[in-house]
Amino acid sequence: MPHEVRGVVAAKKGAPIEVQTIVVPDPGPGEVLVSVQACGVCHTDLHYREGAISDDFPFLLGHEAAGTVEAVGADAGGLVPGDYVVIAWRAPCGTCRSCLRGRPWYCFDSRNAAQPMTLLDGTPLSAALGIGAFAEKTLVAAGQAVKVDPAARPEAAGLIGCGVMAGYGAAVNTGNVGRGDTVAVIGCGGVGCAAIAGASLAGARRVIAVDIDDAKLDGATRFGATHTVNSRGTDPVEAVRGLTGGFGVDVAIDAVGIPETYRQAFYMRDHAGVLVQVGVPDPAMAVELPLIDLFSRGGALKSSWYGDCLPTRDFPLLVDQYLSRRLDLGAFVTEKIALDEVEDAFARMQRGEVLRSVVVL
């Protein structure tokens, strides 16, 4: 029997979002119904509202969530009602060319629920990142629901589903930060601070946080930054080199995603260093670099998609680190809000006032 619940809907491009009654079907084969307990407010949801990702309005927003499995369809991968899960927006298919080559974190045919959620009049909703978790219940593919330790508070655990995993994975999985490495992270929002935490946990001996906001830089030290650079009045490349004996860092992570920060990350690397871009750029942006510098400086230029994570491997690991107090997920939660406060949370996010607002249901 379909479920009528409240959900946050972006009906038209650029228009304020609305809390509406939506219809969530019972799960079919390979699907699970999740009762959402918490969902973080991410920049990606704002990009959906602004039409920057696609024009498939109306959207059911929300994708950074934890909750409890309420019902399962056939072939639910061993999940049962009552399981506590973090929802992933990548669910490897196991059969595409990337999965078959042993690289499921690049899966080219990630699974989502086959049935759409709808408005009351039957209009299909496009679920943000195949999740749509700004709702009391949501329908996802079974592979998207990753079982984790229920001791983890949902407002903290849910953040692993997107921003924390993206940043942490950019350092640990994509950048392959190891013991004794030096690391710089440009941009100390939620994703950047997660990258700082990941680098610190991986054993980096020096983690340099770069931002234009002193308050964010102060916050970055809580996640493991050993040094900070305010780039508003200081050349960050020279500052980072000054903190690394004149050489630059082994891994530079751009958590902003604009041409200026990409160039800064490129030049603040040591020779043969790694640049990891995890900040999502505007599609119209372009970056220019001298070809001789690309050749002579060596190293690697990488993009990190979802922290190059494998959710079934990485989500439980991050939850364990949280429960053992090595990863302070609670520090990412600036405020807890209700469904009808998401529009205001977008404004606070745009002004840089929060790491994460989290909807708690």
Side-chain angles (χ1 to χ4, degrees):
M1 180 177 178
H3 308 264
E4 294 187 5
V5 300
R6 296 183 306 144
V8 173
V9 175
K12 295 185 294 185
K13 181 176 180 177
I17 56 177
E18 304 171 358
V19 177
Q20 296 191 31
T21 299
I22 65 169
V23 179
V24 183
D26 278 328
E31 297 174 337
V32 297
L33 179 70
V34 177
S35 177
V36 179
Q37 293 176 264
C39 184
V41 180
C42 176
H43 276 88
T44 302
D45 294 303
L46 182 59
H47 293 330
Y48 272 107
R49 191 198 73 175
E50 297 303 305
I53 293 178
S54 82
D55 294 321
D56 295 331
F57 290 91
F59 291 108
L60 175 61
L61 301 183
H63 63 277
E64 197 176 65
T68 304
V69 173
E70 184 169 311
V72 302
D75 302 318
L79 291 168
V80 297
D83 282 344
Y84 181 59
V85 297
V86 174
I87 303 176
W89 53 264
R90 175 178 289 148
C93 67
T95 58
C96 73
R97 63 190 187 280
S98 186
C99 287
L100 292 176
R101 294 178 67 191
R103 301 171 184 171
W105 46 87
Y106 293 143
C107 177
F108 301 131
D109 192 21
S110 184
R111 297 304 191 217
N112 296 129
Q115 301 180 86
M117 294 176 277
T118 70
L119 298 176
L120 280 174
D121 65 4
T123 301
L125 289 161
S126 299
L129 291 175
I131 295 175
F134 284 152
E136 293 162 329
K137 302 181 194 295
T138 191
L139 185 74
V140 296
Q144 294 179 263
V146 179
K147 189 175 177 179
V148 299
D149 192 323
R153 295 182 63 84
E155 63 267 29
L159 302 184
I160 293 171
C162 186
V164 168
M165 188 70 257
Y168 182 102
V172 175
N173 296 334
T174 314
N176 197 29
V177 173
R179 291 189 300 273
D181 281 348
T182 55
V183 179
V185 178
I186 306 175
C188 298
V191 172
C193 284
I196 288 167
S200 179
L201 284 166
R205 66 181 177 87
R206 186 157 295 184
V207 183
I208 305 166
V210 181
D211 204 287
I212 59 174
D213 186 328
D214 282 333
K216 288 186 176 182
L217 291 170
D218 288 343
T221 62
R222 181 173 180 179
F223 295 98
T226 60
H227 299 76
T228 61
V229 172
N230 189 318
S231 57
R232 186 179 293 278
T234 302
D235 182 335
V237 175
E238 292 304 314
V240 167
R241 288 188 174 280
L243 291 167
T244 53
F247 299 116
V249 291
D250 298 304
V251 181
I253 299 172
D254 175 12
V256 179
I258 61 175
E260 180 182 5
T261 54
Y262 190 91
R263 284 191 296 268
Q264 290 169 353
F266 178 85
Y267 285 111
M268 65 177 56
R269 298 174 303 146
D270 196 354
H271 285 288
V274 176
L275 186 164
V276 177
Q277 180 192 346
V278 63
V280 181
D282 184 292
M285 291 176 175
V287 63
E288 281 192 23
L289 291 166
L291 191 56
I292 187 61
D293 288 350
L294 288 167
F295 171 76
S296 63
R297 297 188 60 81
L301 310 181
K302 297 183 175 183
S303 299
S304 186
W305 299 343
Y306 203 10
D308 290 344
C309 78
L310 185 58
T312 52
R313 175 195 66 193
D314 293 335
F315 286 12
L317 171 64
L318 267 63
V319 165
D320 287 348
Q321 289 178 329
Y322 163 63
L323 292 175
S324 64
R325 299 188 178 182
R326 289 177 290 162
L327 177 60
D328 189 358
L329 291 176
F332 288 93
V333 181
T334 307
E335 60 179 0
K336 292 183 279 189
I337 63 172
L339 275 178
D340 58 6
E341 296 176 285
V342 171
E343 183 70 29
D344 290 339
F346 279 155
R348 289 190 290 275
M349 180 176 65
Q350 287 179 297
R351 293 194 297 266
E353 297 172 359
V354 295
L355 276 182
R356 269 300 186 271
S357 304
V358 180
V359 173
V360 176
L361 294 106

